[in-house]
Amino acid sequence: MEIIIKASVAEAQDEAARIMAAQIRTKPASVLGLATGSTPIGVYQLLAEFHRAGRLDFSKVITFNLDEYVVLTPNHPQAYREFMRQHLFSKVNIAADRIHFPDGLAADVPAHCEDYEAAIRRVGGIDLQLLGIGSDGHIGFNEPSSSLASRTRIKTLTPRTVKDNARFFPHANEVPRHVITMGVGTIMDAHACLMLATGESKAEAVAGMVEGPITADLPASILQMHPRCKLVLDEPAAAKLRRAEYYRWIYENKPIWQRV
Ligand code: PGA
């Protein structure tokens, strides 16, 4: 895992956006796995700015979002499809038929989940998967105890995640309890992963993920087994890493040809 510690949230977002932009420039028909939540908003803003400035073309990009709430209508203000429309898709030149989401309204959820996996396979897999991390160590919505080999399926959120997400809803009892999420195994199949984590509320999960044992109790820890995973942090999110100085040393001494 490559750990990149930046001085501020803005610098961390900038680094993550530059890594994503480099992916799209290197392979214009990139398949991107995308994440929602408050963390990636700044990254999407920067990607939209690069596009507006004529420096980034999304016309060939294909996207698959990690997860979607079950039972929220697609245009519900908190549906992740709507989140992505607002923060990225309405601001870049990506065609609607290249955008994919789990369908929280699917009548046959298991069949839909298999179709989602098949759609990812059909385009050759995800080139770069953007990830956040939950304060309980989830990736996608793979909560603690999720099988580390899991595929796209329905999950019940933990009370802690429901509480974390309540800030986006008028009342806590409106937060959906169920989601459809790519599995941990689905995420691990991505050719590369990029996690962005900022703020002290993530410090414990980040330390467990990087320096703790690989365990379904902290699903993000499986990323230790991913051969191409970058983790971009701000200082507060990195505060509990024992080897932070070493990670900084590695980054500062990176060969020029390895830099973005
Ligand atoms: P956040 O969510 O970006 O809103 O903190 C991250 C996650 O739950 O994966």
Side-chain angles (χ1 to χ4, degrees), residues 134-136 138 158-168 202:
S135 59
D136 62 2
H138 69 220
T158 60
R160 179 169 175 180
T161 301
V162 171
K163 191 163 155 270
D164 282 354
N165 291 356
R167 66 190 193 278
F168 299 115
K202 303 295 171 70

Side-chain angles (χ1 to χ4, degrees), residues 146-167:
S146 288
S147 160
L148 298 180
S150 52
R151 312 302 306 188
T152 303
R153 71 215 182 290
I154 192 164
K155 283 295 288 181
T156 306
L157 300 179
T158 60
R160 179 169 175 180
T161 301
V162 171
K163 191 163 155 270
D164 282 354
N165 291 356
R167 66 190 193 278

